[in-house]
Amino acid sequence: MAVEIRYPHLLAPLDLGFTTLKNRVLMGSMHTGLEDHKRDYPKLAAYFAERADGEVGLIVTGGIAPNIRGWTSPFSSLLASRLQVPRHKLVTRAVHDRGGKICMQILHTGRYGYHPLCVAPTAIRSPITPFKPRGLSARGVERQIRAYVRATRLARKAGYDGVEIMGSEGYLINQFTTTRVNKRSDQWGGNARDRYRFAEEIVSRCRVAVGEDFIIIYRLSMLDLVADGNDWDEVVEQAQAAERAGATLINTGIGWHEARIPTIATMVPRGAFSWVTARLRPQLTVPVITTNRINTPQVAEDILARGDADMVSMARPLLADAEFVKKAREDRAQEINICIACNQACLDHTFGRQIATCLVNPRACRETELNYLPASKAKTVAVVGAGPAGLACATVAARRGHQVSLFEQSGEIGGQFNMAKKVPGKEEFNHSLDYYRGEVERSGVNLHLATRAGPEELRDFDEIVLATGVHPRPVTVPGIDHPRVLTYIDVLNGKVMVGAKVAVIGAGGIGFDIAEFLSHAEDQPSSSQSIEAFAREWGIDLDLRARGGVKNVQAQPPASAREIWLLQRKASKPGKSLGKTTGWIHRLSLRHRGVHMLSNVTYERIGDKGLHISIKGETRLLEVDHIVVCAGQVSNTNLAEALTTNGRSFHLIGGAQKAAELDAKFAIREGSELAAVL
Ligand code: NAP
Ligand code: SF4
């Protein structure tokens, strides 16, 4: 009997003529920080080796600069000399040994370089970097092209199967292709043909340098998302020029880094931009790759089955689960640890100059350091609290061979995840919960829901882990017991009908989440669930008639369901503590909806008329129906204190250990790290 293949399009090989990829999944380029130091290449090799083991069709490395002008930051990754080849060989060998294929991305950052040596077609500083680039002379342009060619030759020498030439996201090549940064009047600027000559020269000279049997991916900015980006005809012309110049595959790039439209964060609908690739595909003969917010095999399969693209690129989902493709092939998709598009441990780390990892998979980029090896002695382990820390600890410990009992006093697992999943745009948390529900079962954890474990119940266990979490920090404003004061938990759990005017005390992560939640009407679907609604909200032209996809397109965010004041005592800008790569989106989203954000607030009292505040000595009454307290968290330590009194030793993890700056990234990492050594 024929075996039905669950994802036939995704798992179909792709014949490139001189080589065949085993399936349609490209592990997209993602800078991890491991590329930047010679000493970290063994770790980089181990990281990619696991993804090759996981059966991904083709890997693309994080960006490697072709010369120091193209550095991301001083002394970051570079391939400009033979001396740097051996470290890359470690990576290519590790991948090839596992039957994988790997391309090196050549990334010249141009004016996005975070260093004083950066260059651009014209000396115009970007709005997101502090360094003004030097405008390239004609000889300087020639030198950059030669650097690409040299890097391509060296990549071949290092054993790579190909290169990806990064022409999107607002980096150097993209700076040449648009009038936004290219104000030149020589052969490298002016009309579209002259602006993309730089890209064309690079691709064609690289092709000549390495011959026909080497993959050259050209990553093309298909939608700049900046008003002076390219129009659609120019995008098509450029793609066709890259094809003629010798590109094997055309990959999709969406949005410059300085664009103020989210492109990959969690509020972006899944597969939100594959329609752009679909528009280009019929204009080319080479295969095209689509990207952005593709995080399950089914989403990828649907995109390919519709004919939007020939391949799908996933970067973060492969960080979250190295075995993504293998699990899909073995019809175990429900076992995939899904990327929730939070950016908290990957891009936020990269932009904060830390090594990237993954919130849901703290092993990512730490494959040589954090390993879940079989336990030398099986123990009985009690884990109290089934929030992210407890779940991570219990499931990893059980997988290592321990006999684990997980006690949860509520009727469901998930802890704070159950709050997060209710916030519009954060629906992906539902899938992490599904993953953990499955993982509890698969790993053999003995789950006790609606069970309060005390010292007595824990007495006979070899190890006790307390992941008892947090509760809301009480605040001491006069009138805090007034019936119009609510906790964020009551609001998210739908226990109260919240009025039309609301003040939120506390503008941290949860204050922002609550403001987002309350700005949506109960029956209003989140724009993260509809590509059309998302495009309307952020002002993207789905017909591609507008230059850059956005010029003169009015963003039409839905009006807020309530009048909301988001308050904090600090003088700083509200939302400063939010993630580096997502904070601006949360702020902009609330501003679009007319949420009032106030800093420097002193809470005077709460009364029948509302919340009395003062700002720099000036008193104000916010006549609100409800006041929601989002003033941070404090650790739940009752059980820890009781065990201490009884003289029992235990491990304290997650919010129970440290409530300040608690987040799921910290909780899952702590739970996993402890479980690895129990
Ligand atoms: P938080 O980020 O620490 O924010 C607490 C807020 O309450 C601050 O705005 C603080 O501002 C205020 N506050 C603190 N003590 C107060 C007091 N005694 N009276 C009145 N106001 C007080 O905590 P959170 O919002 O509960 O978030 C918890 C964790 O989850 C954080 O680490 C956060 O990063 C994470 N999280 C992140 C996101 C996200 O990135 N989108 C979303 C949800 C949660 P003032 O002291 O200036 O008043
Ligand atoms: Fe995805 Fe978040 Fe992990 Fe990044 S940190 S890979 S966005 S789950």
Side-chain angles (χ1 to χ4, degrees):
M1 201 172 70
V3 181
E4 193 195 339
I5 299 177
R6 187 68 187 273
Y7 306 106
H9 296 86
L10 188 69
L11 300 173
L14 180 63
D15 183 2
L16 298 177
F18 56 91
T19 188
T20 300
L21 307 180
K22 62 175 115 175
N23 54 55
R24 304 301 179 103
V25 180
L26 178 92
M27 179 178 176
S29 175
M30 167 124 195
H31 204 76
T32 62
L34 294 174
E35 308 82 357
D36 294 339
H37 299 285
K38 186 179 169 189
R39 62 163 190 266
D40 287 335
Y41 272 66
K43 293 182 191 170
L44 191 63
Y47 160 71
F48 283 131
E50 282 204 9
R51 274 76 198 164
D53 258 342
E55 303 181 7
V56 62
L58 180 62
I59 293 170
V60 180
T61 66
I64 307 285
N67 61 11
I68 61 173
R69 299 261 174 216
W71 268 340
T72 305
S73 56
F75 307 105
S76 60
S77 60
L78 181 69
L79 183 56
S81 134
R82 281 163 181 264
L83 295 176
Q84 290 142 357
V85 166
R87 71 186 74 159
H88 286 272
K89 278 191 174 159
L90 290 179
V91 171
T92 55
R93 264 193 221 119
V95 170
H96 292 154
D97 285 351
R98 272 117 183 135
K101 291 194 192 316
I102 184 163
C103 292
M104 186 189 87
Q105 188 189 68
I106 308 178
L107 170 67
H108 190 312
T109 50
R111 72 172 186 165
Y112 281 165
Y114 202 84
H115 55 85
L117 303 177
C118 63
V119 291
T122 309
I124 306 170
R125 190 170 72 81
S126 95
I128 55 169
T129 44
F131 296 97
K132 186 172 176 187
R134 182 187 292 186
L136 284 164
S137 64
R139 282 180 59 192
V141 173
E142 181 59 32
R143 272 198 295 272
Q144 308 315 305
I145 297 172
R146 286 198 196 143
Y148 277 93
V149 177
R150 180 180 59 208
T152 303
R153 273 208 195 95
L154 291 169
R156 178 153 208 170
K157 206 177 247 323
Y160 286 106
D161 300 280
V163 290
E164 176 172 80
I165 294 170
M166 179 50 158
S168 64
E169 261 71 5
Y171 290 115
L172 182 71
I173 293 178
N174 210 181
Q175 291 159 27
F176 267 93
T177 58
T178 66
T179 55
R180 187 173 178 82
V181 194
N182 188 342
K183 311 284 184 195
R184 303 174 74 98
S185 52
D186 61 1
Q187 59 169 324
W188 306 108
N191 62 34
R193 175 78 191 73
D194 290 335
R195 293 197 308 272
Y196 64 69
R197 189 190 309 283
F198 182 65
E200 204 179 351
E201 279 295 306
I202 290 169
V203 177
S204 69
R205 290 204 222 166
C206 289
R207 173 56 74 209
V208 170
V210 288
E212 293 303 315
D213 58 343
F214 192 67
I215 299 170
I216 296 182
I217 307 170
Y218 181 66
R219 181 124 181 236
L220 167 76
S221 186
M222 291 191 199
L223 194 62
D224 292 311
L225 296 181
V226 289
D228 36 10
N230 284 327
D231 69 23
W232 184 247
D233 290 343
E234 291 168 344
V235 170
V236 175
E237 266 181 58
Q238 202 195 135
Q240 290 172 340
E243 176 176 313
R244 278 194 307 274
T248 323
L249 293 155
I250 301 285
N251 195 359
T252 303
I254 302 288
W256 288 42
H257 284 310
E258 67 207 62
R260 292 297 87 175
I261 294 178
T263 54
I264 58 167
T266 189
M267 69 289 288
V268 177
R270 289 175 170 187
F273 293 100
S274 69
W275 58 275
V276 186
T277 320
R279 279 281 290 271
L280 184 65
R281 189 173 178 235
Q283 315 283 338
L284 300 172
T285 53
V286 293
V288 292
I289 306 164
T290 196
T291 181
N292 288 45
R293 286 291 281 121
I294 300 167
N295 66 343
T296 70
Q298 195 59 52
V299 172
E301 175 67 18
D302 292 346
I303 285 171
L304 295 171
R306 264 201 317 268
D308 287 2
D310 301 279
M311 272 189 102
V312 290
S313 167
M314 291 180 254
R316 298 172 301 168
L318 271 296
L319 236 74
D321 196 328
E323 295 195 316
F324 185 103
V325 181
K326 188 174 177 196
K327 287 177 182 174
R329 185 180 59 73
E330 293 174 351
D331 204 5
R332 296 190 291 131
Q334 72 285 1
E335 295 180 31
I336 295 174
N337 197 359
I338 280 173
C339 163
I340 56 173
C342 65
N343 286 359
Q344 276 174 255
C346 52
L347 291 184
D348 283 350
H349 276 212
T350 304
F351 284 92
R353 314 255 179 108
Q354 284 174 276
I355 301 293
T357 179
C358 172
L359 180 141
V360 300
N361 173 20
R363 281 197 71 243
C365 299
R366 298 170 69 206
E367 287 76 10
T368 57
E369 298 155 31
L370 180 58
N371 278 301
Y372 309 141
L373 304 174
S376 48
K377 174 176 174 266
K379 299 181 193 172
T380 56
V381 179
V383 179
V384 185
L391 285 167
C393 186
T395 52
V396 172
R399 287 237 179 237
R400 292 190 56 229
H402 294 307
Q403 209 180 312
V404 181
S405 298
L406 176 58
F407 299 95
E408 168 57 43
Q409 66 177 11
S410 77
E412 57 181 345
I413 66 160
Q416 300 281 319
F417 270 17
N418 290 311
M419 304 281 138
K421 73 180 187 190
K422 294 185 177 147
V423 177
K426 291 199 165 181
E427 294 80 5
E428 293 288 2
F429 279 97
N430 282 302
H431 299 276
S432 284
L433 282 167
D434 286 345
Y435 167 77
Y436 272 120
R437 260 179 227 116
E439 204 42 25
V440 162
E441 231 181 275
R442 290 186 292 271
S443 63
V445 169
N446 207 347
L447 177 63
H448 304 270
L449 290 174
T451 306
R452 230 188 152 86
E456 191 51 33
E457 289 77 10
L458 301 176
R459 201 185 47 209
D460 297 329
F461 286 92
D462 296 331
E463 302 276 1
I464 301 172
V465 180
L466 301 188
T468 43
V470 291
H471 60 270
R473 174 186 286 131
V475 298
T476 52
V477 182
I480 195 72
D481 296 327
H482 197 284
R484 67 177 73 214
V485 178
L486 310 173
T487 67
Y488 68 85
I489 298 173
D490 290 340
V491 172
L492 289 173
N493 284 342
K495 282 203 182 142
V496 275
M497 288 283 287
V498 182
K501 293 186 172 193
V502 189
V504 179
I505 291 186
I510 291 180
F512 267 77
D513 277 357
I514 284 291
E516 188 72 43
F517 179 84
L518 291 174
S519 71
H520 284 71
E522 280 72 16
D523 55 357
Q524 183 192 347
S526 161
S527 64
S528 60
Q529 305 304 300
S530 150
I531 294 173
E532 287 74 21
F534 173 78
R536 230 181 357 262
E537 176 163 352
W538 291 93
I540 303 168
D541 172 23
L542 292 175
D543 295 324
L544 290 175
R545 282 193 289 258
R547 188 164 274 281
V550 292
K551 190 168 183 185
N552 298 328
V553 182
Q554 202 56 44
Q556 297 172 48
S560 174
R562 296 178 177 81
E563 186 164 18
I564 300 168
W565 284 264
L566 182 57
L567 312 171
Q568 68 173 26
R569 298 170 304 176
K570 285 189 283 291
S572 57
K573 197 164 60 173
K576 223 168 167 244
S577 63
L578 302 179
K580 262 188 192 310
T581 61
T582 51
W584 66 270
I585 308 172
H586 295 298
R587 280 192 294 274
L588 200 53
S589 169
L590 293 189
R591 218 176 297 137
H592 278 164
R593 286 161 180 266
V595 171
H596 313 283
M597 297 185 213
L598 305 181
S599 302
N600 275 312
V601 173
T602 303
Y603 306 109
E604 301 290 353
R605 67 187 172 87
I606 294 160
D608 289 341
K609 287 194 170 149
L611 175 62
H612 298 259
I613 59 169
S614 62
I615 298 179
K616 294 183 181 167
E618 204 175 302
T619 55
R620 264 181 85 174
L621 167 64
L622 302 180
E623 291 184 55
V624 292
D625 305 302
H626 286 107
I627 295 135
V628 186
V629 179
C630 305
Q633 332 280 331
V634 283
S635 301
N636 288 333
T637 52
N638 288 352
L639 184 53
E641 284 155 21
L643 289 173
T644 307
T645 309
N646 286 5
R648 265 310 302 261
S649 62
F650 55 87
H651 309 270
L652 200 56
I653 59 168
Q657 196 253 107
K658 182 179 145 209
E661 290 166 37
L662 160 76
D663 61 20
K665 177 180 79 173
F666 168 77
I668 293 176
R669 193 191 70 210
E670 258 213 340
S672 308
E673 284 177 352
L674 173 63
V677 296
L678 276 178

